[in-house]
């Protein structure tokens, strides 16, 4: 993925971007604005602004450059310390935000058309029911989009730039993946090309772990360390323009007298790693640096300077927006839950969320690394690979006042299991799968299977944080399988 936030351009109130260093990476920005509908003056529906960055980590200090953002959103409202993504990859994650569903239900599994990213099947089955479509058709909202949509948007096989997804009154969508310069925008279905003029074109102003982690080279070569240091520095530099953009949005809302009637959400589609566990640079792993993201919210009746430890996920954003608009969530098939009650200081909430990822791998050997064999993907010059076809996993992430656990199963020949007690091991150095009590393993496995097979309302009740709640393994399906089995057959 690529792109980076910028300062100017036609999509001033929301555009994507990222930085470019050997590979394009980090911090793409998307803004979705839902404006209050025209109508009786005595009641104004709240405005909703979503600012979505790309690849912005939380655990490695990603918020450090965003001083204005923290002051104008976090300090003015609520910050969440346990916000996660349903899948640590752009297109599946963004699809979860739009639909309010886990990947096993919206079926976007990677950033390719073949993986259902902005495909014709996605446009037919899911786009008509995404939260902006419901806000516009059922709640009377005016909607605006600018920036990166889904990675394959704009390709001819995805309907081209003339395709404007349902639900948007005004649409400024980036053609495919994000970049700083030389890109094309779809402005309400009409292409608008941009070049390389900054003033006009800058797009926004220890391991007992899985083999994919074990294959990394430790210690890293000096050349790799220097490369990552430069990349890390440039990622922070790109965030300064995001910070300016947030300030501009807040100031304009204030000048127009709309700030007190506007909810502003700031988050990211996934985290990122730059050298952790000696992996070069990406975001497709199950660890905190890839799945944990910033989430800050300000808005009407939200008290300032609050911090919540409740467990939320990006599948909850859509339901929350609809709840703010007064839409009946029981009419949707969304898996997520509205966290509006948390913003209003309610304490009853869930304890478990699902994280799932379907690994990508080439059917043939990587030409630069022939000895590694087939099934690998995204390999660096030193033949350390970031992904593989059996990097397919599902995790249940559990957070309660007394428990902070992660349980993961891989779809590989070993059915490899990783378990972390993040209270005692916040950096996930020690996989305790072989030492933890069997009863706990079985319960985590049951919860995972239940979440993997959930849909709609059944996803919302799994592990609800309620003193009366008791986990009932009878709710689970007897078995589950991954779609990736077909790819394994091809590799045999």
């Amino acid at each position: 993925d690529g792109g980076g936030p910028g300062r100017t351009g036609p999509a001033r109130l929301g555009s994507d971007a990222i930085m470019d260093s050997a590979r394009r990476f980090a911090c793409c920005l998307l803004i979705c604005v839902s404006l209050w509908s025209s109508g009786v003056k005595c009641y104004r529906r709240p405005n909703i602004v979503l600012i979505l960055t790309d690849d912005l980590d939380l655990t490695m200090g990603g918020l450090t450059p965003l001083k204005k953002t923290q002051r104008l959103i976090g300090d003015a409202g609520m910050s969440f310390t346990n916000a996660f993504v349903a899948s640590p990859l752009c297109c599946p994650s963004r699809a979860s935000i739009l639909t309010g569903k886990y990947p096993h239900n919206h079926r976007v599994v990677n950033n390719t058309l073949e993986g259902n990213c902005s495909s014709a099947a996605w446009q037919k089955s899911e786009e008509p029911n995404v939260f902006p479509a419901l806000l516009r058709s059922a709640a009377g909202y005016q909607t605006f989009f600018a920036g990166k949509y889904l990675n394959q948007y704009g390709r001819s096989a995805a309907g081209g730039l003339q395709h404007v997804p349902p639900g948007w009154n005004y649409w400024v969508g980036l053609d495919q993946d994000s970049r700083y310069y030389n890109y094309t925008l779809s402005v309400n279905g009409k292409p608008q090309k941009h070049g390389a003029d900054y003033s006009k074109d800058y797009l926004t102003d220890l391991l007992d772990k899985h083999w994919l982690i074990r294959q990394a080279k430790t210690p890293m070569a000096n050349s790799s360390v220097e490369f990552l240091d430069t990349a890390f520095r440039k990622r922070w530099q790109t965030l300064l323009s995001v910070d300016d953009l947030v300030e501009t949005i807040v100031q304009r809302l204030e000048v127009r007298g709309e700030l007190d009637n506007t909810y502003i959400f700031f988050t990211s589609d996934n985290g990122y790693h730059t050298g952790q566990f000696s992996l070069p640079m990406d975001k497709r792993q199950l660890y905190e640096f890839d799945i944990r993201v910033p989430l800050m919210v300000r808005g009407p009746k939200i008290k300032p300077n609050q911090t919540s430890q409740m467990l939320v996920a990006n599948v909850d954003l859509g339901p929350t927006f609809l709840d703010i608009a007064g839409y009946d969530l029981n009419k949707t098939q969304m898996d997520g839950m509205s966290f509006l009650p948390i913003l209003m200081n309610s304490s009853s909430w869930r304890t478990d969320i699902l994280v799932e990822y379907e690994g990508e791998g080439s059917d043939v050997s990587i030409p630069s690394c022939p000895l590694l064999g087939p099934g690998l993907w995204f390999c660096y010059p030193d033949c350390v690979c970031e992904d593989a076809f059996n990097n397919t996993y599902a995790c249940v992430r559990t957070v309660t006042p007394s428990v902070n656990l992660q349980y993961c199963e891989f779809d590989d020949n070993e059915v490899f299991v990783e378990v972390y007690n993040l209270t005692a091991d916040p950096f996930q150095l020690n996989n305790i799968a072989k030492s933890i009590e069997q009863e706990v393993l079985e319960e985590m496995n049951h919860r995972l299977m239940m979440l993997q097979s959930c849909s709609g309302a059944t996803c919302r009740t799994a592990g609800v944080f309620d003193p009366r709640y008791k986990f009932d393994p009878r709710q689970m399906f007897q078995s589950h399988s991954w779609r990736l089995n077909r790819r394994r057959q091809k590799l045999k």
Side-chain angles (χ1 to χ4, degrees):
D1 307 314
R7 301 174 184 274
T8 59
R12 191 177 185 91
L13 272 186
S15 40
D16 267 0
I18 238 201
M19 73 142 292
D20 204 349
S21 172
R23 281 190 178 275
R24 288 168 305 149
F25 69 105
C27 216
C28 222
L29 181 67
L30 169 146
I31 295 185
C32 154
V33 182
S34 300
L35 300 177
W36 63 285
S37 63
S38 58
V40 181
K41 290 186 177 180
C42 63
Y43 173 69
R44 294 192 305 161
R45 298 173 188 247
N47 306 311
I48 304 168
V49 177
L50 170 63
I51 304 171
L52 180 68
T53 61
D54 191 61
D55 299 349
L56 175 61
D57 66 273
L58 179 64
T59 63
M60 299 190 304
L63 284 180
T64 302
L66 297 171
K67 305 299 184 185
K68 300 173 185 176
T69 300
Q70 294 184 75
R71 174 173 55 85
L72 294 171
I73 302 180
D75 294 349
M78 182 177 288
S79 298
F80 289 81
T81 60
N82 289 306
F84 295 87
V85 295
S87 187
L89 189 63
C90 290
C91 206
S93 179
R94 289 166 182 259
S96 286
I97 291 172
L98 288 164
T99 63
K101 295 180 180 181
Y102 286 116
H104 71 265
N105 286 327
H106 62 58
R107 299 187 180 278
V108 177
V109 297
N110 57 43
N111 291 344
T112 68
L113 278 173
E114 294 76 13
N116 205 27
C117 181
S118 201
S119 68
W122 153 268
Q123 294 172 14
K124 181 178 180 180
S125 63
E126 299 296 338
E127 273 191 345
N129 299 306
V130 296
F131 77 79
L134 297 177
L135 284 173
R136 182 182 179 188
S137 63
Y141 270 67
Q142 299 177 54
T143 58
F144 167 80
F145 176 94
K148 176 180 175 179
Y149 181 57
L150 302 179
N151 300 58
Q152 298 299 320
Y153 172 78
R155 290 188 57 180
S156 57
L161 293 176
Q162 64 267 30
H163 172 66
V164 176
W168 302 104
N169 293 87
Y170 192 76
W171 171 265
V172 183
L174 180 67
D175 182 15
Q176 299 181 58
D177 213 345
S178 38
R179 55 183 64 89
Y180 278 128
Y181 299 106
N182 301 309
Y183 55 87
T184 301
L185 296 172
S186 168
V187 180
N188 294 327
K190 296 181 179 180
Q192 184 181 93
K193 292 188 176 181
H194 290 262
D197 186 326
Y198 176 81
S199 64
K200 296 186 297 184
D201 300 316
Y202 189 73
L203 190 55
T204 56
D205 211 43
L206 357 134
L207 304 177
D208 182 22
K209 298 188 186 308
H210 192 245
W211 73 268
L212 195 63
I213 309 300
R214 298 197 304 264
Q215 51 96 37
K217 295 176 173 59
T218 303
M220 300 183 77
N222 288 337
S223 58
S224 296
V225 173
E226 292 173 2
F227 168 73
L228 292 176
D229 283 347
T230 300
F232 193 93
R233 187 179 305 112
K234 289 185 176 180
R235 283 167 57 84
W236 274 22
Q237 290 170 348
T238 65
L239 288 171
L240 296 177
S241 56
V242 176
D243 217 25
D244 291 343
L245 183 144
V246 170
E247 182 182 45
T248 299
I249 292 173
V250 172
Q251 289 176 345
R252 291 190 180 182
L253 287 168
E254 190 168 26
V255 167
R256 296 186 180 189
E258 294 290 344
L259 184 58
D260 291 340
N261 192 44
T262 300
Y263 289 91
I264 304 178
F265 294 74
F266 181 91
T267 189
S268 179
D269 59 359
N270 46 253
Y272 210 70
H273 60 259
T274 51
Q276 283 63 36
F277 297 150
S278 294
L279 290 176
M281 191 167 61
D282 195 43
K283 65 289 186 78
R284 302 161 200 253
Q285 308 304 328
L286 55 88
Y287 307 106
E288 295 286 279
F289 41 71
D290 284 356
I291 66 172
R292 186 189 288 269
V293 292
L295 176 59
M296 297 180 284
V297 188
R298 68 171 291 170
K301 298 182 181 179
I302 301 178
K303 297 179 181 178
N305 296 306
Q306 293 189 89
T307 299
S308 174
Q309 297 180 350
M310 293 298 186
L311 182 65
V312 296
N314 59 354
V315 294
D316 301 325
L317 289 169
T320 303
F321 300 155
L322 294 175
D323 196 10
I324 290 172
Y327 188 84
D328 184 358
L329 297 179
N330 293 321
K331 294 181 180 180
T332 76
Q333 294 299 312
M334 291 183 172
D335 301 334
M337 301 169 61
S338 167
F339 56 86
L340 182 60
I342 297 179
L343 297 173
M344 302 301 158
N345 293 311
S346 173
S347 60
S348 181
W349 193 244
R350 65 147 84 88
T351 61
D352 304 301
I353 60 164
L354 176 68
V355 178
E356 51 190 350
Y357 176 69
E358 184 167 317
E360 297 182 74
S362 172
D363 293 348
V364 297
S365 298
I366 304 295
S368 58
C369 305
L371 297 180
L372 295 181
L376 297 167
W377 192 251
F378 201 23
C379 297
Y380 279 77
D382 57 358
C383 294
V384 175
C385 303
E386 291 281 2
D387 205 0
F389 81 92
N390 68 358
N391 185 39
T392 295
Y393 58 80
C395 303
V396 58
R397 191 67 176 80
T398 300
V399 176
T400 74
S402 59
V403 175
N404 191 359
L405 289 176
Q406 183 182 33
Y407 174 92
C408 301
E409 293 182 5
F410 284 84
D411 182 29
D412 58 13
N413 293 333
E414 298 179 75
V415 191
F416 197 82
V417 175
E418 294 190 30
V419 183
Y420 297 97
N421 177 355
L422 283 98
T423 301
D425 180 24
F427 301 111
Q428 297 171 287
L429 299 177
N430 300 308
N431 178 6
I432 59 174
K434 296 187 183 301
S435 61
I436 197 170
E437 295 88 348
Q438 186 64 27
E439 181 181 353
V440 176
L441 275 178
E442 290 178 358
E443 182 176 350
M444 298 289 281
N445 171 263
H446 289 163
R447 291 187 182 189
L448 177 60
M449 294 178 72
M450 187 169 69
L451 282 169
Q452 281 187 281
S453 57
C454 76
S455 178
T458 60
C459 299
R460 303 176 211 150
T461 58
V464 172
F465 180 45
D466 189 314
R468 299 167 297 176
Y469 175 79
K470 301 295 182 184
F471 176 73
D472 183 1
R474 291 173 297 180
Q475 295 182 51
M476 72 176 183
F477 286 86
Q478 292 184 351
S479 64
H480 62 274
S481 61
W482 286 90
R483 295 181 295 272
L484 199 62
N485 287 334
R486 66 183 184 275
R487 188 175 297 174
R488 180 182 289 111
Q489 295 298 321
K490 289 174 63 178
L491 293 173
K492 288 183 176 179

